[in-house]
Amino acid sequence: MKTCRIGILNNSLGNVGSVESALAFYDYEVRLLDAPEDFGHVDLIVLAGVGTFPAAVRVLREKGFWEPLDRWVRDLGRPLLGICLGMQLFATEGAEGGTQRGFGWIPGSVRPLQGGQVPHIGWDPVVPRDVPRARELFSGMRYGQFYFMHGYHFIPEDQSAVLAESPYGEGKLVSCVGRDKLLGVQFHPEKSQGAGLRLLRAAVEVLL
């Protein structure tokens, strides 16, 4: 296992403590990032959250995280893992409460779920695509069950960014995306027991 320093954005958007505990299980050096100045002390940033897209954008801007995060990914090419709402913020825009601009790291939009249970809450399989990065992430976990809790979903413009999908209603939804040093999951690995812990370790290994 690689030695690394992981920073979890302390954004007041929930589930930060459980993500910290899950990563600490593997004895990573984990710390909460309370200000952009803390970014210089970590190798990887985790952007987690639950709630609404507009609220997340507002909180990140109010706390002064928005521009430094954008530079971290877009200019510096440093590793970042997005979880649930954190992954949705990768999109160009979100439709919740009116159109709201996201980071645009992976072009696409976040739209309300249709055709199945809303909100989508519970355990569902995550089916990786047959591409190298997906195989790395989900090695030994093919069709593993993960915990979901969301009412909106990310629709990337470029399907090459999609690493895994999950059944939803009569169709499917995007449950994992990735590009360069960027990874995002729609489900909650920190709430997904053994499979979630293995996924978090694999994500750290892939990103670093």
Side-chain angles (χ1 to χ4, degrees):
M1 188 183 303
K2 297 178 182 178
T3 300
C4 64
R5 302 168 300 169
I6 300 174
I8 303 172
L9 208 68
N10 195 7
N11 52 22
S12 305
L13 293 171
N15 78 317
V16 169
S18 54
V19 173
E20 182 180 16
S21 297
L23 286 166
F25 177 82
Y26 289 111
D27 293 325
Y28 291 124
E29 181 183 329
V30 184
R31 61 181 294 172
L32 296 181
L33 303 178
D34 295 308
E37 294 77 25
D38 297 332
F39 289 11
H41 302 294
V42 298
D43 304 304
L44 182 156
I45 290 177
V46 177
L47 174 58
V50 294
T52 69
F53 196 101
V57 172
R58 183 180 68 253
V59 167
L60 291 176
R61 290 192 179 280
E62 288 176 351
K63 289 180 172 287
F65 284 131
W66 190 270
E67 287 78 13
L69 271 178
D70 198 38
R71 287 194 296 272
W72 176 272
V73 172
R74 198 182 300 275
D75 299 335
L76 302 177
R78 301 295 301 279
L80 185 140
L81 171 65
I83 296 175
C84 195
L85 182 57
M87 183 191 91
Q88 293 181 2
L89 290 169
F90 292 5
T92 310
E93 63 180 28
E96 191 170 7
T99 301
Q100 177 75 57
R101 300 290 293 180
F103 284 108
W105 296 330
I106 295 181
S109 60
V110 176
R111 301 292 173 186
L113 287 167
Q114 295 181 335
Q117 174 192 358
V118 181
H120 175 216
I121 300 176
W123 295 82
D124 274 304
V126 171
V127 184
R129 289 190 167 179
D130 189 18
V131 296
R133 174 155 289 193
R135 289 194 294 269
E136 287 181 279
L137 279 172
F138 296 96
S139 176
M141 294 184 286
R142 192 166 180 82
Y143 307 109
Q145 296 278 332
F146 294 86
Y147 186 77
F148 290 80
M149 185 174 62
H150 60 116
Y152 284 72
H153 66 127
F154 183 22
I155 307 173
E157 293 177 5
D158 183 357
Q159 285 295 299
S160 70
V162 178
L163 299 181
E165 296 168 306
S166 295
Y168 177 74
E170 297 297 319
K172 54 191 176 182
L173 58 83
V174 172
S175 49
C176 181
V177 297
R179 176 173 292 161
D180 302 321
K181 289 293 186 178
L182 195 63
L183 279 177
V185 293
Q186 180 60 69
F187 51 88
H188 287 274
E190 78 283 2
K191 298 179 183 294
S192 299
Q193 302 177 1
L197 289 174
R198 291 194 296 274
L199 184 282
L200 283 173
R201 181 173 64 180
V204 171
E205 293 294 313
V206 165
L207 288 171
L208 295 176

